């Protein structure tokens, strides 16, 4: 990928900042069942969906999972969960421009699809015995919490008018006075 314009560079910088924020707040994990649930990742996924779209949001989720695993603060289950949620949240927001759609995408993507995709990761790569739907409830709890936080934050940002200013900056439409 060639970064030849300011638009792509801004998206890369913003996704890097979101990754740094998610990694630095990774100590706020909640153990639920067999997984480490990380509500901040879900908040970041929804924010990335709104500002960056599905591809950069998925890339940010991957980088966050990778860094957390390298630091020993995450698990391999973070990869399918966070990446599917980030992609679906970005995809639904891109096509509807509704915060609620991004939130639904994150919950369905992480809580259902990502949780089911964790089964092969857990059994083949981690050597854990688990049922196919073993991660659905813990993932739904985690993503529900983080997504609710994101929905409230986006609502506050929209009411204050800052959301449109930030979206325009990301899209390269900032006012030059």
């Amino acid at each position: 990928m060639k970064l030849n314009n300011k638009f792509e560079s801004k998206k890369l910088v913003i996704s890097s900042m979101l990754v740094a924020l998610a990694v630095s707040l990774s100590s706020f994990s909640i153990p639920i069942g067999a997984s480490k649930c990380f509500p901040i990742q879900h908040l970041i996924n929804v924010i990335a969906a709104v500002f960056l779209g599905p591809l950069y949001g998925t890339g940010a989720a991957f980088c966050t999972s990778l860094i957390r695993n390298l630091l020993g603060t995450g698990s391999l289950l973070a990869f399918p969960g966070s990446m599917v949620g980030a992609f679906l949240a970005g995809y639904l927001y891109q096509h509807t421009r509704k915060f609620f759609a991004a939130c639904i995408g994150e919950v369905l993507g992480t809580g259902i699809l990502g949780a089911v995709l964790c089964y092969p990761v857990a059994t083949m790569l981690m050597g854990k015995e688990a049922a196919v739907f073993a991660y659905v409830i813990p993932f739904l709890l985690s993503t529900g919490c983080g997504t609710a936080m994101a929905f409230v934050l986006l609502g506050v940002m929209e009411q204050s008018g800052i959301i449109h200013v930030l979206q325009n900056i990301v899209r390269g439409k900032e006012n030059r006075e």
Side-chain angles (χ1 to χ4, degrees), residues 14 51 157 161-172:
I14 291 166
F51 288 105
M157 291 171 72
I162 193 71
I163 194 100
H164 302 294
V165 172
L166 294 174
Q167 285 177 326
N168 286 337
I169 289 171
V170 172
R171 294 183 184 123

Side-chain angles (χ1 to χ4, degrees), residues 34 77 119 121-130 135:
L77 302 178
Y119 173 75
V121 173
T123 57
M124 289 187 254
L125 297 177
M126 298 172 69
K128 294 185 183 249
E129 290 186 29
Y135 298 104

Side-chain angles (χ1 to χ4, degrees), residues 99-168:
F99 300 146
F100 190 71
C103 292
I104 292 297
E106 172 62 20
V107 170
L108 291 177
T110 297
I112 306 292
L113 299 174
V116 171
L117 289 173
C118 282
Y119 173 75
V121 173
T123 57
M124 289 187 254
L125 297 177
M126 298 172 69
K128 294 185 183 249
E129 290 186 29
V132 174
F133 297 103
Y135 298 104
V136 172
I137 291 174
F139 278 39
L140 278 173
L141 291 171
S142 178
T143 192
C145 179
T147 301
M149 292 172 12
F151 189 73
V152 169
L153 178 62
L154 289 170
V156 169
M157 291 171 72
E158 184 176 45
Q159 283 185 339
S160 70
I162 193 71
I163 194 100
H164 302 294
V165 172
L166 294 174
Q167 285 177 326
N168 286 337

Side-chain angles (χ1 to χ4, degrees), residues 22 37-50 53-54 57-58 60-62 64-65 68 77-94 96 98-116 135-136 138-151 154:
C37 296
F38 182 48
I40 300 301
Q41 178 65 57
H42 309 295
L43 179 141
I44 297 294
N45 282 354
V46 175
I47 299 298
V50 170
T58 304
F62 173 81
T64 300
S65 297
R68 288 184 62 227
L77 302 178
F79 286 100
S82 66
M83 291 172 60
V84 174
F87 179 81
L88 195 53
Y91 180 82
L92 291 178
Y93 182 78
Q94 190 175 53
T96 65
K98 303 283 184 197
F99 300 146
F100 190 71
C103 292
I104 292 297
E106 172 62 20
V107 170
L108 291 177
T110 297
I112 306 292
L113 299 174
V116 171
Y135 298 104
V136 172
F139 278 39
L140 278 173
L141 291 171
S142 178
T143 192
C145 179
T147 301
M149 292 172 12
F151 189 73
L154 289 170

